[in-house]
Amino acid sequence: MAVAASPHPQTPHADSRRRDPASRRAALAGLLNAHDADAMIVGDLVNVRYLSGFTGSNGAVLVWADTDRGHDRIATDGRYTSQVAAQAPDLEALIARDTVAVLLAEAAARRSGVRVAFEADAMTVAQYDELTSSDMPDGVALVPVRGLVEGLRETKDDDEIAAVERACALGDQALANLVDRNAIAPGRTERRVARELEWEMYSLGADAIAFETIVAAGENSAVPHHRPTDAVLAPGDFVKIDFGAVYDGYHSDMTRTFVLGEPADWQREIYEIVRTAQEAGCAALKAGAATRDVDAAAREIIVAAGYGKQYVHGLGHGVGLQIHEAPGIGAASTGTLLDGATVTVEPGIYLPGRGGVRIEDTLVVDGSGARSLTHAPRALRIL
Ligand code: ZN
Ligand code: ZN
């Protein structure tokens, strides 16, 4: 799935592989001093999951800057009393409807004049107003921070990489099954192909689909994020399929573009340009590489071929607990790649009224290179 820009600024941090929630909270604690904060309340539910293991729909975590993790707390409401005990056994749980308010009170009770960081990029203005107007305990100062947990999440540990890899394998296998039984063929609708692909992923063991599956045939393939319709696949069409699975909370993201019957010269031409660009982008991935340089490695091939204006999005994005997360890899990106980042590489060329091609893999940055977790063939396949 393509994305326009980096969702979060990058945060430098120690490059350690954190396997359990307590060590993730310790890593966050290590970042709080630089923001002159005594503690942080995290309410973004994806970040709550990352820092605690808890997957409920209402929750927040209080993380202290101290090295002693014994004062960290999680708050959720009464629906999740047993779930939070099972999923976050190392955290004392506070049961309350307003999770942020109860954690703020907890922080204020432990230390007077406490300075509490909060996620400026997750809290709404209305929530902030509510917090600061009525519920604010005396002596508490709020410190806005951005992207701290998202920065930690960029470096995946071995268990996270294994989950992304499993999600990628589910996608690979589901697509292979569809191809094997000629389910991507003239006479079928985009919608039917999408639903069959999703059914394959579920039946292979996916927890969920990663996002709304894109199946785009003929001129629809020139629309980067086309939604499947009742359009019927026809001979000569490009069929662009962008999809993914979720396994144990982690997402995969891949795109393959097929052609139905013998391709026209223009189809072979743009396919080979995108394929070459995609290979160059993958080859440019390594720890420490500037994300804009990775984008450029692929983009310059498409520009040199004369299709720069028909490549309308960034090269890729991080993928993990969310389908789009840090880092962004685009022409205007400012960060560098971290060892253990799982990212997509997905250049495309889109010719309005005719058709388009995108090829996308999910890879893990691994020292001086990257390893693809997507294994489906990349050469043009004629169905
Ligand atoms: Zn995709
Ligand atoms: Zn993508």
Side-chain angles (χ1 to χ4, degrees):
M1 202 175 178
V3 67
S6 174
H8 290 286
Q10 288 192 323
T11 309
H13 61 88
D15 183 19
S16 58
R17 296 287 168 96
R18 300 164 296 273
R19 297 184 72 105
D20 59 282
S23 59
R24 292 169 179 173
R25 292 196 301 277
L28 177 61
L31 299 176
L32 294 179
N33 280 333
H35 294 274
D36 197 20
D38 302 306
M40 180 167 177
I41 292 177
V42 175
D44 175 273
L45 288 172
V46 176
N47 291 339
V48 168
R49 176 181 185 152
Y50 182 74
L51 295 171
S52 70
F54 175 63
T55 61
S57 67
N58 181 26
V61 173
L62 170 67
V63 177
W64 288 92
D66 315 350
T67 52
D68 177 5
R69 305 265 54 84
H71 299 286
D72 292 349
R73 296 286 181 270
I74 188 167
T76 183
D77 64 66
R79 293 171 298 170
Y80 293 113
T81 305
S82 55
Q83 184 178 330
V84 75
Q87 292 182 324
D90 62 328
L91 279 170
E92 187 176 316
L94 308 177
I95 303 299
R97 186 90 215 156
D98 190 339
T99 55
V100 172
V102 76
L103 291 178
L104 259 186
E106 170 82 12
R110 182 173 175 227
R111 191 172 300 170
S112 63
V114 68
R115 294 174 55 80
V116 179
F118 71 97
E119 297 163 296
D121 40 7
M123 189 175 284
T124 66
V125 175
Q127 287 169 329
Y128 182 80
D129 284 346
E130 197 177 330
L131 205 60
T132 51
S133 59
S134 57
D135 297 339
M136 192 79 160
D138 285 345
V140 172
L142 290 177
V143 182
V145 298
R146 289 168 192 273
L148 289 191
V149 183
E150 288 80 0
L152 296 175
R153 282 171 38 202
E154 279 188 56
T155 298
K156 271 66 177 178
D157 65 33
D158 294 344
D159 293 342
E160 293 180 290
I161 292 167
V164 175
E165 187 160 21
R166 179 79 187 119
C168 288
L170 292 170
D172 274 340
Q173 188 61 52
L175 185 63
N177 290 355
L178 235 57
V179 170
D180 286 350
R181 58 185 168 83
N182 292 321
I184 307 168
R188 297 181 147 240
T189 66
E190 293 173 339
R191 225 191 284 266
R192 177 162 179 189
V193 173
R195 295 299 89 83
E196 289 191 18
L197 184 56
E198 291 164 357
W199 183 86
E200 287 285 350
M201 287 190 280
Y202 279 114
S203 60
L204 289 165
D207 298 334
I209 59 168
F211 54 90
E212 191 179 2
T213 300
I214 296 169
V215 176
E219 66 182 57
N220 291 340
S221 61
V223 180
H225 276 186
H226 174 72
R227 295 182 86 169
T229 67
D230 288 325
V232 177
L233 279 57
D237 280 355
F238 269 140
V239 182
K240 187 187 70 193
I241 304 181
D242 185 349
F243 69 105
V246 179
Y247 183 79
D248 198 18
Y250 287 80
H251 296 69
S252 67
D253 192 1
M254 68 182 285
T255 307
R256 288 295 181 269
T257 305
F258 302 96
V259 65
L260 302 181
E262 199 54 35
D265 290 346
W266 68 271
Q267 288 175 313
R268 283 193 189 279
E269 182 198 354
I270 65 170
Y271 193 95
E272 285 312 313
I273 296 164
V274 171
R275 187 182 170 202
T276 306
Q278 205 263 350
E279 277 179 9
C282 293
L285 293 175
K286 62 179 178 183
T291 47
R292 73 163 56 142
D293 292 345
V294 177
D295 180 271
R299 190 172 302 276
E300 64 193 17
I301 289 168
I302 294 176
V303 170
Y307 291 101
K309 285 194 165 57
Q310 286 77 41
Y311 171 26
V312 291
H313 53 75
L315 183 66
H317 53 86
V319 54
L321 286 171
Q322 289 175 296
I323 184 64
H324 289 147
E325 57 181 48
I329 304 176
S333 300
T334 55
T336 56
L337 289 176
L338 300 174
D339 197 22
T342 44
V343 299
T344 68
V345 173
E346 50 177 307
I349 293 176
Y350 311 95
L351 306 181
R354 301 178 75 187
V357 173
R358 179 164 66 251
I359 303 171
E360 174 181 27
D361 293 331
T362 299
L363 303 95
V364 56
V365 177
D366 194 357
S368 60
R371 179 168 66 92
S372 187
L373 305 177
T374 309
H375 300 295
R378 296 170 193 89
L380 179 58
R381 294 175 80 185
I382 299 166
L383 300 180

